[in-house]
Amino acid sequence: MGLHSSFLRFIQGSRATELQVPKGSGSEFIITESTGLNRSAGRALILTDPGEIRPHSVTITEFGAVGDGVTLNTKAFQNAIFYLNSFADKGGAKLFVPAGRWLTGSFDLISHLTLWLDKDAVILGSKNPDDWPVVDPLPSYGQGRELPGGRHRSLIYGCNLTDVIITGDNGTINGQGSVWWNWFRSKTLNYTRPHLVELMNSTGVVISNLNFLNSPFWTIHPVYCSRVTVQNVTILAPLDSPNTDGIDPDSSDDVCIEDCYISTGDDLIAIKSGWDEYGISFARPSTNIFIRRLTGHNRNGSGIAIGSEMSGGVSEVHAENLYFFDSSTAIIIKTAPGRGGYVRNIYISDVTLADVDTAFRFNSNFSEHPDEFYDPNALPVIERITVKDVKGDNIKVAGLLNGIERDSFRHLCLLNITLNVTSESPWNCSYIQGYSALVSPETCEPLKESIYPKHYSDCYHLSDHLHNSARHHLS
């Protein structure tokens, strides 16, 4: 069932959620069942406890907020959080958002805060761009991602924070992004569109047990952050909505993303680290990124992307138990001459694909640059990428793996992969090097050399146990 049918229905655990999709291009999602998704918390390491008891708590209505979907509540959110800041050194505080439709512009979070949404609570982003202040571009990007100059600040924003929790009982944060998508399509934006949630230079962040809908731009964007958990969230935007990435860790480390359902107009997860000469100079990589139990689909992006803004480097990415369906691309590394940086030590396993156009892709021609000052001779280094235990049905193309001439795309390792491919040319490869074992359909020439017995140590995260197991299968 496609996302543009009248209803999307999917199951997690023993309960279901129905999401009404109004027909027509650019229509926004509306959650029609208030019970939300069945969440099973506590199944993995949580870097900050989302159930942490705060000794002080207030409700947004105590500050004059009206949940009628019409009254603008920006001042109420700002005043509530200003009040709660006095408790930051007294164990922290909780801001409770009860049932209702709470229209607001952008507001700041504080340290040692829990923002908690009731199951029938909906925070709505204002459709007035004046309610989303313009702020400086990120230093690792040099300018707004879409236009020179500044960028609109996210709906929910935090900078230089510690111990921040955004959670609830499956409440909803809806960016009402269609107005922004229309401005983007008509080329009438004055500044880069805002994200739905952005945490910057922050440590100990948890985002869990919520629904995120219709972001104007990227949905959840932790940038220059450490110790981030995104768990048990649903992220939805129409399949034709522009650049509505799901979760984009950006120059961040120790990030855990798990038990999420994402269906958007672009990449479900995109790992980034800065843009061209600005990212190279800022030099903050994304590293130690763990992704588990991710389900979703898209038609204009990928399941997991690295890049294309990866100039500060990306490494130590582990992704497992992935299911992508009815999608354009499953796994992609995006880069270009001028990016510099590196992508190395990537391990992806236990992947199930259904009705996917391209299973694996290296795209080295992302030619957008922040300005004319980038160095076209700054070539990225792509190495030690391991993909194993993949099954796929109705796949058009197994791999489009195109590196850059005179560059280093090496030690790509494919192991135990079975794809039912409809194309007569399942692989297209150039300027890459690597190894394979137990791959069907047979890989392209640059990957035909066997991983075993000589090259398993060249492949990231293949242990002696795997070595012995594969030798048994191949003997």
Side-chain angles (χ1 to χ4, degrees):
M1 182 181 298
L3 277 179
H4 288 289
S5 58
S6 296
F7 288 91
L8 167 69
R9 183 175 177 86
F10 58 91
I11 304 296
Q12 286 196 350
S14 60
R15 296 167 64 190
T17 289
E18 277 189 346
L19 298 166
Q20 187 173 347
V21 186
K23 295 180 180 179
S25 176
S27 299
E28 294 182 354
F29 281 90
I30 302 170
I31 294 187
T32 61
E33 184 183 20
S34 63
T35 53
L37 292 178
N38 181 35
R39 309 296 191 189
S40 52
R43 285 190 286 176
L45 174 66
I46 303 299
L47 301 174
T48 299
D49 181 7
E52 181 178 347
I53 303 300
R54 305 290 195 187
H56 306 277
S57 179
V58 298
T59 299
I60 192 62
T61 53
E62 297 176 46
F63 296 84
V66 179
D68 60 2
V70 177
T71 304
L72 188 66
N73 296 295
T74 311
K75 286 294 184 183
F77 278 100
Q78 291 172 341
N79 290 339
I81 291 170
F82 179 80
Y83 169 76
L84 292 175
N85 196 39
S86 62
F87 301 104
D89 60 350
K90 302 178 179 65
K94 173 181 174 180
L95 176 57
F96 178 72
V97 182
R101 295 172 62 78
W102 309 92
L103 182 69
T104 181
S106 173
F107 62 89
D108 287 73
L109 303 180
I110 57 173
S111 293
H112 309 296
L113 175 74
T114 297
L115 176 64
W116 181 281
L117 278 68
D118 181 71
K119 67 178 181 179
D120 294 325
V122 181
I123 292 178
L124 294 170
S126 169
K127 295 182 180 182
N128 183 347
D130 292 338
D131 294 325
W132 306 66
V134 176
V135 296
D136 290 336
L138 293 169
S140 57
Y141 283 72
Q143 67 166 43
R145 184 58 185 83
E146 298 180 294
L147 293 168
R151 61 200 184 102
H152 286 280
R153 196 175 70 176
S154 61
L155 184 67
I156 299 175
Y157 177 77
C159 184
N160 299 320
L161 304 182
T162 301
D163 176 26
V164 179
I165 300 170
I166 304 171
T167 189
D169 187 16
N170 302 323
T172 298
I173 300 172
N174 186 341
Q176 301 197 108
S178 60
V179 292
W180 297 92
W181 309 332
N182 291 336
W183 292 327
F184 170 79
R185 292 183 179 114
S186 63
K187 303 187 186 304
T188 55
L189 287 169
N190 293 318
Y191 301 97
T192 293
R193 287 172 286 160
H195 310 303
L196 195 54
V197 177
E198 181 178 76
L199 281 302
M200 182 176 173
N201 284 317
S202 297
T203 301
V205 174
V206 170
I207 301 172
S208 68
N209 301 322
L210 293 172
N211 304 297
F212 296 86
L213 309 184
N214 305 313
S215 177
F217 198 37
W218 307 342
T219 305
I220 297 175
H221 185 225
V223 58
Y224 319 142
C225 288
S226 298
R227 299 195 293 115
V228 177
T229 295
V230 182
Q231 182 186 52
N232 292 319
V233 304
T234 296
I235 300 174
L236 300 172
L239 294 178
D240 62 351
S241 56
N243 313 112
T244 50
D245 295 11
I247 305 168
D248 287 8
D250 197 341
S251 292
S252 294
D253 56 85
D254 297 329
V255 177
C256 176
I257 300 168
E258 62 181 13
D259 299 305
C260 296
Y261 180 94
I262 305 175
S263 174
T264 64
D266 209 321
D267 301 319
L268 309 187
I269 294 176
I271 302 168
K272 302 174 181 291
S273 65
W275 198 12
D276 286 6
E277 72 270 26
Y278 300 101
I280 294 170
S281 175
F282 196 77
R284 175 153 183 180
S286 280
T287 189
N288 292 335
I289 312 291
F290 297 89
I291 303 166
R292 293 188 282 258
R293 297 181 297 276
L294 170 67
T295 298
H297 80 144
N298 64 77
R299 293 307 306 163
N300 294 301
S302 63
I304 294 178
I306 298 176
S308 73
E309 309 89 335
M310 38 62 66
S311 302
V314 175
S315 68
E316 275 65 50
V317 176
H318 289 234
E320 63 183 17
N321 294 325
L322 314 173
Y323 175 48
F324 304 132
F325 62 95
D326 190 20
S327 295
S328 173
T329 303
I331 309 295
I332 189 170
I333 296 176
K334 302 185 283 189
T335 187
R339 289 290 190 267
Y342 58 84
V343 176
R344 66 167 62 101
N345 296 350
I346 312 298
Y347 179 79
I348 298 170
S349 68
D350 299 312
V351 183
T352 301
L353 308 176
D355 305 310
V356 172
D357 293 344
T358 304
F360 314 117
R361 188 170 186 187
F362 289 172
N363 187 335
S364 303
N365 296 304
F366 270 75
S367 57
E368 287 185 327
H369 302 283
D371 51 39
E372 70 274 20
F373 301 114
Y374 76 96
D375 179 4
N377 295 314
L379 300 180
V381 174
I382 313 296
E383 61 184 3
R384 292 171 58 80
I385 315 294
T386 296
V387 182
K388 65 180 286 286
D389 299 337
V390 181
K391 295 181 180 179
D393 288 321
N394 196 27
I395 310 300
K396 289 184 180 178
V397 177
L400 299 176
L401 304 173
N402 303 116
I404 300 172
E405 189 175 5
R406 301 185 305 278
D407 196 8
S408 176
F409 284 58
R410 66 193 189 113
H411 297 335
L412 169 63
C413 299
L414 305 180
L415 173 63
N416 192 29
I417 295 172
T418 302
L419 303 173
N420 294 323
V421 175
T422 60
S423 171
E424 294 182 0
S425 301
W427 298 90
N428 184 324
C429 306
S430 62
Y431 306 117
I432 66 166
Q433 177 273 331
Y435 315 100
S436 63
L438 303 173
V439 176
S440 175
E442 187 178 17
T443 59
C444 51
E445 192 63 36
L447 301 178
K448 281 187 177 178
E449 189 169 356
S450 178
I451 293 173
Y452 304 105
K454 295 181 180 180
H455 298 293
Y456 76 93
S457 62
D458 296 324
C459 299
Y460 179 62
H461 209 63
L462 288 187
S463 66
D464 288 336
H465 172 77
L466 290 173
H467 174 210
N468 294 333
S469 174
R471 281 199 307 184
H472 172 76
H473 283 296
L474 293 169
S475 60

